Amino acid sequence: MPIEVALEIGHRTDVGRRRDHNEDCLGVYRPHLRDEIEHRGTLLAVADGMGGYAAGEVASHKAIEVIVETFYGDLDGGIESSLRRALIRANEAVREEAGKDSERAGMGTTIAVAVICDGDVIVANVGDSRVYLARGGELKQLSHDHSWVQELLEDGKITPEEAKRHPMRNVITRSLGGRPEVEPETQPRRRLQDGDTILICSDGLWGMVPADRILELVLREPVQSAADALIDAANEAGGHDNVTAVVCRILNSGYDDYDDDATEQLEPFQLQDTQPIPRIDV
């Protein structure tokens, strides 16, 4: 019998202080159907679009929409394979959308996804939007950056301190929409514990706010207050980019009996705080 996980989720996205529009997008999908809960669980995502006005924001919205539709559209496969397929399909969809309008040529988006199902978290990403786990007073990055600086770090050519100031730190090596084929990266399942907090965010957050400050805010505040405080901290540090955070706290890492009243009931799917999207039936 699959385990249902009790969660609290807070989220916020903001244009920042230097940009005139927001190319970030967040997605929260908490199913109401038992089959979806048992086989797919809750999906949390952050996408950071690229390509300028009417392009980057289109790419990030389209990516999350297609990922949710694809991931929950086939309940027969395993989570990892379905998640990977959803990201590949999103890459195709972003490229198809770009082909409809010459002003959107070359648009793309990063994506970071955390699926919480059966007491586990499964992470996938393309680009440098991140998934973190806060546990026991420590903050651990679960996703893996696809960026120029990350490759230099792994090759031992620069130090972590140099990476923070590197002039190429914003250059990514993979994106949805960038190439005809994409290689999503998935991480091994990780068993959740009561009190764990998952953070999904764009580089507008982690690039502006030190990890110790992120950890402090995530652990100190209720989830919605934490999401708000993280955005405020990024803006107070300069707000150089759009900034997005989804904060998910594990209240109970698993119980046997499904209870509609045992978990917070969110809207089935949200793109950004102020833009609810109806449930996708496929």
Side-chain angles (χ1 to χ4, degrees):
M1 181 71 177
I3 297 171
E4 170 64 359
V5 182
L7 309 172
E8 284 184 339
I9 303 171
H11 51 83
R12 182 177 161 193
T13 184
D14 189 81
V15 68
R17 293 186 173 176
R18 300 290 183 89
R19 303 294 179 88
D20 59 6
H21 65 285
N22 194 351
E23 294 181 287
D24 281 6
C25 181
L26 66 86
V28 173
Y29 191 99
R30 186 156 178 77
H32 298 319
L33 296 179
R34 185 183 181 92
D35 281 351
E36 290 185 347
I37 292 171
E38 291 184 351
H39 295 284
R40 290 291 178 265
T42 295
L43 183 147
L44 312 170
V46 167
D48 179 357
M50 302 162 286
Y53 185 72
E57 62 191 70
V58 172
S60 59
H61 280 71
K62 174 59 70 173
I64 291 183
E65 180 181 351
V66 170
I67 286 168
V68 171
E69 180 179 355
T70 305
F71 184 67
Y72 288 94
D74 178 8
L75 302 181
D76 293 331
I79 288 178
E80 289 85 352
S81 60
S82 293
L83 189 55
R84 176 183 171 82
R85 183 166 59 252
L87 268 62
I88 290 172
R89 175 62 192 120
N91 182 66
E92 296 169 350
V94 170
R95 290 182 62 82
E96 290 167 3
E97 196 70 26
K100 297 177 182 179
D101 188 335
S102 61
E103 294 185 359
R104 296 177 181 173
M107 74 178 186
T109 184
T110 69
I111 188 70
V113 182
V115 174
I116 299 171
C117 185
D118 201 20
D120 294 336
V121 60
I122 301 95
V123 169
N125 76 289
V126 175
D128 64 354
S129 290
R130 291 182 175 179
V131 180
Y132 290 99
L133 170 66
R135 172 188 290 174
E138 296 182 351
L139 188 70
K140 179 179 179 61
Q141 183 180 340
L142 301 185
S143 57
H144 180 256
D145 293 349
H146 303 133
S147 68
W148 185 276
V149 164
Q150 183 64 33
E151 291 184 359
L152 293 177
L153 275 170
E154 291 173 357
D155 290 341
K157 295 180 178 178
I158 60 173
T159 67
E161 284 302 314
E162 289 172 332
K164 295 176 182 179
R165 304 183 299 273
H166 198 281
M168 302 287 281
R169 63 185 177 275
N170 295 323
V171 177
I172 60 173
T173 55
R174 297 186 204 178
S175 68
L176 298 183
R179 297 178 180 176
E181 296 183 359
V182 69
E183 185 65 26
E185 185 165 358
T186 58
Q187 304 300 327
R189 287 179 177 237
R190 182 179 293 268
R191 177 63 63 179
L192 293 167
Q193 300 176 5
D194 294 0
D196 283 353
T197 302
I198 301 294
L199 168 65
I200 306 96
C201 64
S202 60
D203 68 333
L205 174 59
W206 64 258
M208 298 299 299
V209 183
D212 56 352
R213 179 62 172 159
I214 291 175
L215 178 64
E216 176 190 355
L217 294 173
V218 165
L219 295 182
R220 187 184 71 189
E221 303 285 350
V223 289
Q224 187 56 55
S225 297
D228 292 336
L230 289 167
I231 301 303
D232 292 344
N235 283 331
E236 289 166 5
H240 294 168
D241 200 354
N242 307 146
V243 55
T244 300
V246 178
V247 181
C248 176
R249 185 156 297 139
I250 313 304
L251 300 180
N252 186 332
S253 57
Y255 51 85
D256 293 332
D257 295 325
Y258 175 67
D259 181 359
D260 281 330
D261 297 326
T263 59
E264 179 186 10
Q265 292 299 309
L266 303 177
E267 290 295 325
F269 182 34
Q270 290 182 315
L271 293 180
Q272 303 187 5
D273 298 15
T274 57
Q275 191 170 354
I277 301 296
R279 181 183 177 81
I280 301 170
D281 294 317
V282 292

Short mmCIF file of all heavy atoms in Angstrom, two decimals, residues 126-178:
data_model
loop_
_atom_site.label_atom_id
_atom_site.label_comp_id
_atom_site.label_asym_id
_atom_site.label_seq_id
_atom_site.Cartn_x
_atom_site.Cartn_y
_atom_site.Cartn_z
N VAL A 126 17.19 20.19 -15.41
CA VAL A 126 17.97 20.58 -16.58
C VAL A 126 18.33 22.04 -16.36
O VAL A 126 17.45 22.87 -16.14
CB VAL A 126 17.17 20.42 -17.89
CG1 VAL A 126 17.97 20.96 -19.06
CG2 VAL A 126 16.79 18.97 -18.13
N GLY A 127 19.62 22.37 -16.39
CA GLY A 127 20.04 23.74 -16.14
C GLY A 127 20.46 23.94 -14.70
O GLY A 127 20.91 23.01 -14.02
N ASP A 128 20.30 25.18 -14.19
CA ASP A 128 20.82 25.50 -12.87
C ASP A 128 19.78 25.96 -11.86
O ASP A 128 20.15 26.50 -10.81
CB ASP A 128 21.94 26.55 -12.98
CG ASP A 128 21.44 27.89 -13.51
OD1 ASP A 128 20.26 27.99 -13.91
OD2 ASP A 128 22.25 28.85 -13.53
N SER A 129 18.50 25.77 -12.14
CA SER A 129 17.53 25.88 -11.05
C SER A 129 17.74 24.68 -10.13
O SER A 129 18.11 23.60 -10.60
CB SER A 129 16.10 25.91 -11.58
OG SER A 129 15.87 27.14 -12.26
N ARG A 130 17.53 24.87 -8.83
CA ARG A 130 18.00 23.88 -7.87
C ARG A 130 16.91 23.31 -6.98
O ARG A 130 15.88 23.94 -6.74
CB ARG A 130 19.07 24.50 -6.97
CG ARG A 130 20.37 24.81 -7.68
CD ARG A 130 21.39 25.38 -6.71
NE ARG A 130 22.70 25.58 -7.36
CZ ARG A 130 23.77 26.08 -6.76
NH1 ARG A 130 23.70 26.42 -5.49
NH2 ARG A 130 24.90 26.22 -7.42
N VAL A 131 17.21 22.11 -6.46
CA VAL A 131 16.41 21.48 -5.40
C VAL A 131 17.35 21.25 -4.22
O VAL A 131 18.43 20.67 -4.38
CB VAL A 131 15.80 20.14 -5.85
CG1 VAL A 131 14.99 19.53 -4.70
CG2 VAL A 131 14.93 20.33 -7.09
N TYR A 132 16.92 21.71 -3.04
CA TYR A 132 17.67 21.53 -1.81
C TYR A 132 16.85 20.71 -0.82
O TYR A 132 15.62 20.73 -0.84
CB TYR A 132 17.97 22.87 -1.15
CG TYR A 132 18.97 23.77 -1.83
CD1 TYR A 132 18.53 24.82 -2.64
CD2 TYR A 132 20.32 23.61 -1.63
CE1 TYR A 132 19.44 25.68 -3.24
CE2 TYR A 132 21.25 24.46 -2.23
CZ TYR A 132 20.80 25.50 -3.03
OH TYR A 132 21.70 26.35 -3.62
N LEU A 133 17.58 20.07 0.11
CA LEU A 133 16.97 19.42 1.27
C LEU A 133 17.58 20.03 2.52
O LEU A 133 18.80 20.03 2.69
CB LEU A 133 17.24 17.92 1.24
CG LEU A 133 16.87 17.14 2.52
CD1 LEU A 133 15.36 17.15 2.75
CD2 LEU A 133 17.40 15.71 2.45
N ALA A 134 16.71 20.55 3.41
CA ALA A 134 17.15 21.02 4.73
C ALA A 134 16.78 19.96 5.75
O ALA A 134 15.61 19.61 5.90
CB ALA A 134 16.46 22.34 5.07
N ARG A 135 17.81 19.45 6.42
CA ARG A 135 17.60 18.39 7.41
C ARG A 135 18.68 18.48 8.48
O ARG A 135 19.86 18.60 8.15
CB ARG A 135 17.65 17.01 6.75
CG ARG A 135 17.62 15.85 7.75
CD ARG A 135 17.86 14.52 7.07
NE ARG A 135 16.75 14.12 6.22
CZ ARG A 135 16.77 13.04 5.42
NH1 ARG A 135 17.86 12.28 5.37
NH2 ARG A 135 15.72 12.73 4.68
N GLY A 136 18.26 18.41 9.74
CA GLY A 136 19.22 18.36 10.83
C GLY A 136 20.17 19.53 10.87
O GLY A 136 21.35 19.37 11.21
N GLY A 137 19.69 20.72 10.50
CA GLY A 137 20.55 21.90 10.54
C GLY A 137 21.51 22.01 9.39
O GLY A 137 22.45 22.82 9.42
N GLU A 138 21.32 21.21 8.34
CA GLU A 138 22.18 21.26 7.17
C GLU A 138 21.35 21.45 5.90
O GLU A 138 20.20 21.01 5.83
CB GLU A 138 23.00 19.98 7.04
CG GLU A 138 23.98 19.76 8.18
CD GLU A 138 24.82 18.51 8.00
OE1 GLU A 138 24.53 17.73 7.07
OE2 GLU A 138 25.75 18.32 8.80
N LEU A 139 21.95 22.11 4.92
CA LEU A 139 21.31 22.32 3.63
C LEU A 139 22.10 21.58 2.57
O LEU A 139 23.29 21.84 2.38
CB LEU A 139 21.27 23.82 3.29
CG LEU A 139 20.46 24.22 2.05
CD1 LEU A 139 18.96 24.02 2.30
CD2 LEU A 139 20.74 25.66 1.67
N LYS A 140 21.45 20.63 1.89
CA LYS A 140 22.13 19.81 0.88
C LYS A 140 21.48 20.03 -0.48
O LYS A 140 20.26 19.95 -0.61
CB LYS A 140 22.04 18.33 1.26
CG LYS A 140 22.71 17.40 0.25
CD LYS A 140 22.62 15.96 0.69
CE LYS A 140 23.26 15.02 -0.33
NZ LYS A 140 24.70 15.31 -0.52
N GLN A 141 22.29 20.30 -1.48
CA GLN A 141 21.77 20.42 -2.84
C GLN A 141 21.54 19.03 -3.41
O GLN A 141 22.47 18.22 -3.50
CB GLN A 141 22.74 21.20 -3.72
CG GLN A 141 22.21 21.43 -5.14
CD GLN A 141 23.18 22.21 -6.00
OE1 GLN A 141 24.06 22.90 -5.49
NE2 GLN A 141 23.02 22.11 -7.31
N LEU A 142 20.30 18.74 -3.82
CA LEU A 142 19.96 17.44 -4.38
C LEU A 142 20.10 17.40 -5.90
O LEU A 142 20.36 16.34 -6.47
CB LEU A 142 18.54 17.05 -3.98
CG LEU A 142 18.23 16.95 -2.49
CD1 LEU A 142 16.80 16.45 -2.29
CD2 LEU A 142 19.24 16.07 -1.77
N SER A 143 19.87 18.52 -6.55
CA SER A 143 20.00 18.59 -8.00
C SER A 143 21.47 18.82 -8.37
O SER A 143 22.32 19.05 -7.51
CB SER A 143 19.13 19.73 -8.55
OG SER A 143 19.48 20.96 -7.92
N HIS A 144 21.74 18.78 -9.66
CA HIS A 144 23.11 18.95 -10.16
C HIS A 144 23.11 20.02 -11.24
O HIS A 144 22.42 19.88 -12.25
CB HIS A 144 23.65 17.63 -10.71
CG HIS A 144 25.04 17.73 -11.24
ND1 HIS A 144 25.32 17.77 -12.59
CD2 HIS A 144 26.24 17.81 -10.61
CE1 HIS A 144 26.63 17.85 -12.77
NE2 HIS A 144 27.21 17.88 -11.59
N ASP A 145 23.84 21.11 -11.01
CA ASP A 145 23.86 22.21 -11.97
C ASP A 145 24.45 21.78 -13.31
O ASP A 145 25.48 21.09 -13.34
CB ASP A 145 24.69 23.38 -11.44
CG ASP A 145 24.08 24.06 -10.24
OD1 ASP A 145 22.91 23.77 -9.93
OD2 ASP A 145 24.77 24.89 -9.61
N HIS A 146 23.83 22.22 -14.37
CA HIS A 146 24.38 22.07 -15.72
C HIS A 146 24.83 23.46 -16.15
O HIS A 146 24.08 24.20 -16.79
CB HIS A 146 23.33 21.50 -16.67
CG HIS A 146 22.78 20.19 -16.20
ND1 HIS A 146 21.43 19.93 -16.20
CD2 HIS A 146 23.39 19.10 -15.70
CE1 HIS A 146 21.24 18.70 -15.71
NE2 HIS A 146 22.42 18.19 -15.41
N SER A 147 26.04 23.80 -15.75
CA SER A 147 26.55 25.14 -16.01
C SER A 147 28.04 25.09 -16.30
O SER A 147 28.73 24.13 -15.96
CB SER A 147 26.29 26.06 -14.80
OG SER A 147 27.08 25.65 -13.69
N TRP A 148 28.51 26.17 -16.91
CA TRP A 148 29.93 26.28 -17.24
C TRP A 148 30.77 26.24 -15.96
O TRP A 148 31.79 25.55 -15.89
CB TRP A 148 30.15 27.59 -17.99
CG TRP A 148 31.54 27.79 -18.50
CD1 TRP A 148 32.61 28.30 -17.82
CD2 TRP A 148 32.01 27.48 -19.81
NE1 TRP A 148 33.71 28.34 -18.61
CE2 TRP A 148 33.38 27.85 -19.86
CE3 TRP A 148 31.40 26.95 -20.95
CZ2 TRP A 148 34.15 27.68 -20.99
CZ3 TRP A 148 32.17 26.79 -22.09
CH2 TRP A 148 33.53 27.14 -22.11
N VAL A 149 30.34 26.97 -14.94
CA VAL A 149 31.10 27.05 -13.69
C VAL A 149 31.12 25.69 -12.98
O VAL A 149 32.15 25.29 -12.41
CB VAL A 149 30.52 28.15 -12.78
CG1 VAL A 149 31.01 27.99 -11.34
CG2 VAL A 149 30.91 29.52 -13.31
N GLN A 150 30.01 24.96 -13.02
CA GLN A 150 29.98 23.65 -12.38
C GLN A 150 30.99 22.70 -13.03
O GLN A 150 31.67 21.94 -12.34
CB GLN A 150 28.57 23.05 -12.46
CG GLN A 150 28.43 21.71 -11.76
CD GLN A 150 28.64 21.79 -10.27
OE1 GLN A 150 28.32 22.80 -9.65
NE2 GLN A 150 29.20 20.73 -9.70
N GLU A 151 31.10 22.78 -14.34
CA GLU A 151 32.08 21.94 -15.03
C GLU A 151 33.51 22.32 -14.63
O GLU A 151 34.35 21.43 -14.42
CB GLU A 151 31.89 22.06 -16.54
CG GLU A 151 30.60 21.43 -17.05
CD GLU A 151 30.49 21.47 -18.56
OE1 GLU A 151 31.41 22.01 -19.21
OE2 GLU A 151 29.48 20.97 -19.09
N LEU A 152 33.77 23.60 -14.49
CA LEU A 152 35.10 24.04 -14.05
C LEU A 152 35.40 23.56 -12.63
O LEU A 152 36.51 23.15 -12.32
CB LEU A 152 35.19 25.58 -14.12
CG LEU A 152 35.15 26.20 -15.52
CD1 LEU A 152 35.17 27.72 -15.41
CD2 LEU A 152 36.31 25.72 -16.38
N LEU A 153 34.38 23.62 -11.77
CA LEU A 153 34.55 23.13 -10.40
C LEU A 153 34.88 21.64 -10.38
O LEU A 153 35.80 21.21 -9.68
CB LEU A 153 33.27 23.39 -9.60
CG LEU A 153 33.09 24.76 -8.96
CD1 LEU A 153 31.66 24.90 -8.44
CD2 LEU A 153 34.09 24.96 -7.84
N GLU A 154 34.13 20.88 -11.15
CA GLU A 154 34.32 19.42 -11.16
C GLU A 154 35.67 19.04 -11.77
O GLU A 154 36.24 18.00 -11.41
CB GLU A 154 33.17 18.76 -11.92
CG GLU A 154 31.85 18.87 -11.18
CD GLU A 154 30.67 18.38 -12.01
OE1 GLU A 154 30.88 18.01 -13.18
OE2 GLU A 154 29.55 18.38 -11.47
N ASP A 155 36.18 19.88 -12.67
CA ASP A 155 37.50 19.63 -13.25
C ASP A 155 38.63 20.14 -12.38
O ASP A 155 39.81 19.97 -12.72
CB ASP A 155 37.59 20.28 -14.64
CG ASP A 155 36.72 19.59 -15.67
OD1 ASP A 155 36.33 18.43 -15.42
OD2 ASP A 155 36.40 20.21 -16.70
N GLY A 156 38.28 20.78 -11.25
CA GLY A 156 39.29 21.31 -10.35
C GLY A 156 39.99 22.55 -10.85
O GLY A 156 41.07 22.91 -10.35
N LYS A 157 39.39 23.25 -11.80
CA LYS A 157 40.03 24.42 -12.39
C LYS A 157 39.75 25.70 -11.62
O LYS A 157 40.46 26.70 -11.80
CB LYS A 157 39.59 24.57 -13.86
CG LYS A 157 40.05 23.42 -14.74
CD LYS A 157 39.59 23.60 -16.17
CE LYS A 157 40.10 22.45 -17.04
NZ LYS A 157 39.64 22.58 -18.45
N ILE A 158 38.70 25.70 -10.81
CA ILE A 158 38.40 26.84 -9.96
C ILE A 158 37.96 26.32 -8.60
O ILE A 158 37.56 25.16 -8.46
CB ILE A 158 37.30 27.76 -10.55
CG1 ILE A 158 35.99 26.98 -10.74
CG2 ILE A 158 37.75 28.39 -11.86
CD1 ILE A 158 34.83 27.86 -11.15
N THR A 159 38.00 27.19 -7.60
CA THR A 159 37.55 26.85 -6.26
C THR A 159 36.10 27.30 -6.08
O THR A 159 35.59 28.12 -6.86
CB THR A 159 38.42 27.56 -5.21
OG1 THR A 159 38.18 28.98 -5.30
CG2 THR A 159 39.89 27.26 -5.43
N PRO A 160 35.42 26.78 -5.05
CA PRO A 160 34.05 27.25 -4.78
C PRO A 160 33.97 28.76 -4.59
O PRO A 160 33.00 29.39 -5.04
CB PRO A 160 33.67 26.50 -3.51
CG PRO A 160 34.46 25.24 -3.58
CD PRO A 160 35.77 25.64 -4.19
N GLU A 161 34.97 29.36 -3.95
CA GLU A 161 34.96 30.81 -3.77
C GLU A 161 35.11 31.54 -5.10
O GLU A 161 34.46 32.56 -5.34
CB GLU A 161 36.08 31.23 -2.81
CG GLU A 161 35.78 30.94 -1.37
CD GLU A 161 34.51 31.63 -0.89
OE1 GLU A 161 34.35 32.83 -1.18
OE2 GLU A 161 33.68 30.96 -0.25
N GLU A 162 35.96 31.01 -5.98
CA GLU A 162 36.12 31.61 -7.31
C GLU A 162 34.84 31.47 -8.13
O GLU A 162 34.50 32.35 -8.93
CB GLU A 162 37.29 30.95 -8.03
CG GLU A 162 38.65 31.32 -7.46
CD GLU A 162 39.78 30.52 -8.07
OE1 GLU A 162 39.53 29.37 -8.50
OE2 GLU A 162 40.91 31.03 -8.13
N ALA A 163 34.14 30.37 -7.92
CA ALA A 163 32.90 30.14 -8.66
C ALA A 163 31.86 31.22 -8.37
O ALA A 163 31.09 31.62 -9.26
CB ALA A 163 32.33 28.77 -8.31
N LYS A 164 31.84 31.71 -7.14
CA LYS A 164 30.85 32.72 -6.75
C LYS A 164 31.04 34.03 -7.52
O LYS A 164 30.09 34.79 -7.71
CB LYS A 164 30.94 32.99 -5.24
CG LYS A 164 30.56 31.80 -4.38
CD LYS A 164 30.76 32.12 -2.91
CE LYS A 164 30.45 30.91 -2.03
NZ LYS A 164 30.68 31.20 -0.59
N ARG A 165 32.28 34.30 -7.96
CA ARG A 165 32.58 35.57 -8.62
C ARG A 165 32.91 35.39 -10.11
O ARG A 165 33.25 36.36 -10.78
CB ARG A 165 33.77 36.24 -7.93
CG ARG A 165 33.57 36.47 -6.44
CD ARG A 165 34.75 37.21 -5.83
NE ARG A 165 36.00 36.46 -5.98
CZ ARG A 165 36.41 35.54 -5.12
NH1 ARG A 165 35.67 35.26 -4.05
NH2 ARG A 165 37.55 34.90 -5.32
N HIS A 166 32.81 34.17 -10.59
CA HIS A 166 33.26 33.89 -11.95
C HIS A 166 32.38 34.63 -12.97
O HIS A 166 31.14 34.64 -12.86
CB HIS A 166 33.20 32.38 -12.23
CG HIS A 166 34.02 31.96 -13.40
ND1 HIS A 166 33.60 32.13 -14.71
CD2 HIS A 166 35.25 31.38 -13.48
CE1 HIS A 166 34.52 31.68 -15.53
NE2 HIS A 166 35.53 31.21 -14.81
N PRO A 167 32.97 35.26 -13.98
CA PRO A 167 32.18 36.03 -14.96
C PRO A 167 31.25 35.17 -15.80
O PRO A 167 30.31 35.68 -16.40
CB PRO A 167 33.25 36.69 -15.83
CG PRO A 167 34.49 35.87 -15.63
CD PRO A 167 34.42 35.39 -14.22
N MET A 168 31.48 33.83 -15.83
CA MET A 168 30.63 32.93 -16.62
C MET A 168 29.65 32.17 -15.73
O MET A 168 29.09 31.16 -16.16
CB MET A 168 31.51 31.94 -17.38
CG MET A 168 32.52 32.58 -18.31
SD MET A 168 31.74 33.26 -19.78
CE MET A 168 31.50 31.76 -20.73
N ARG A 169 29.43 32.63 -14.50
CA ARG A 169 28.63 31.85 -13.56
C ARG A 169 27.17 31.71 -13.97
O ARG A 169 26.47 30.82 -13.48
CB ARG A 169 28.72 32.46 -12.16
CG ARG A 169 28.17 33.86 -12.04
CD ARG A 169 28.42 34.43 -10.64
NE ARG A 169 27.97 35.81 -10.50
CZ ARG A 169 28.66 36.87 -10.82
NH1 ARG A 169 29.88 36.72 -11.33
NH2 ARG A 169 28.18 38.08 -10.66
N ASN A 170 26.70 32.56 -14.87
CA ASN A 170 25.31 32.47 -15.31
C ASN A 170 25.13 31.71 -16.62
O ASN A 170 24.01 31.61 -17.13
CB ASN A 170 24.72 33.88 -15.47
CG ASN A 170 24.63 34.63 -14.16
OD1 ASN A 170 24.35 34.03 -13.12
ND2 ASN A 170 24.89 35.93 -14.19
N VAL A 171 26.19 31.14 -17.14
CA VAL A 171 26.12 30.42 -18.41
C VAL A 171 25.77 28.96 -18.14
O VAL A 171 26.52 28.25 -17.46
CB VAL A 171 27.45 30.52 -19.17
CG1 VAL A 171 27.39 29.69 -20.46
CG2 VAL A 171 27.79 31.97 -19.48
N ILE A 172 24.66 28.50 -18.66
CA ILE A 172 24.25 27.11 -18.47
C ILE A 172 24.61 26.29 -19.71
O ILE A 172 24.76 26.82 -20.81
CB ILE A 172 22.74 27.00 -18.17
CG1 ILE A 172 21.91 27.56 -19.33
CG2 ILE A 172 22.40 27.69 -16.87
CD1 ILE A 172 20.41 27.32 -19.14
N THR A 173 24.76 24.99 -19.49
CA THR A 173 25.17 24.10 -20.57
C THR A 173 24.03 23.20 -21.05
O THR A 173 24.19 22.49 -22.04
CB THR A 173 26.35 23.22 -20.11
OG1 THR A 173 25.98 22.53 -18.91
CG2 THR A 173 27.58 24.07 -19.86
N ARG A 174 22.92 23.20 -20.35
CA ARG A 174 21.73 22.48 -20.79
C ARG A 174 20.50 23.32 -20.50
O ARG A 174 20.45 24.04 -19.49
CB ARG A 174 21.56 21.14 -20.06
CG ARG A 174 22.64 20.13 -20.27
CD ARG A 174 22.28 18.80 -19.61
NE ARG A 174 23.45 18.01 -19.29
CZ ARG A 174 23.42 16.84 -18.68
NH1 ARG A 174 22.26 16.30 -18.34
NH2 ARG A 174 24.55 16.19 -18.42
N SER A 175 19.50 23.22 -21.35
CA SER A 175 18.22 23.88 -21.12
C SER A 175 17.13 23.14 -21.88
O SER A 175 17.42 22.36 -22.79
CB SER A 175 18.26 25.34 -21.57
OG SER A 175 18.39 25.42 -22.99
N LEU A 176 15.90 23.37 -21.50
CA LEU A 176 14.76 22.90 -22.28
C LEU A 176 14.55 23.89 -23.41
O LEU A 176 14.41 25.09 -23.18
CB LEU A 176 13.51 22.81 -21.43
CG LEU A 176 13.53 21.83 -20.25
CD1 LEU A 176 12.17 21.81 -19.55
CD2 LEU A 176 13.93 20.43 -20.69
N GLY A 177 14.56 23.40 -24.64
CA GLY A 177 14.38 24.25 -25.80
C GLY A 177 15.66 24.63 -26.50
O GLY A 177 15.64 25.11 -27.63
N GLY A 178 16.80 24.41 -25.85
CA GLY A 178 18.06 24.84 -26.43
C GLY A 178 18.51 24.00 -27.60
O GLY A 178 19.08 24.51 -28.57
#
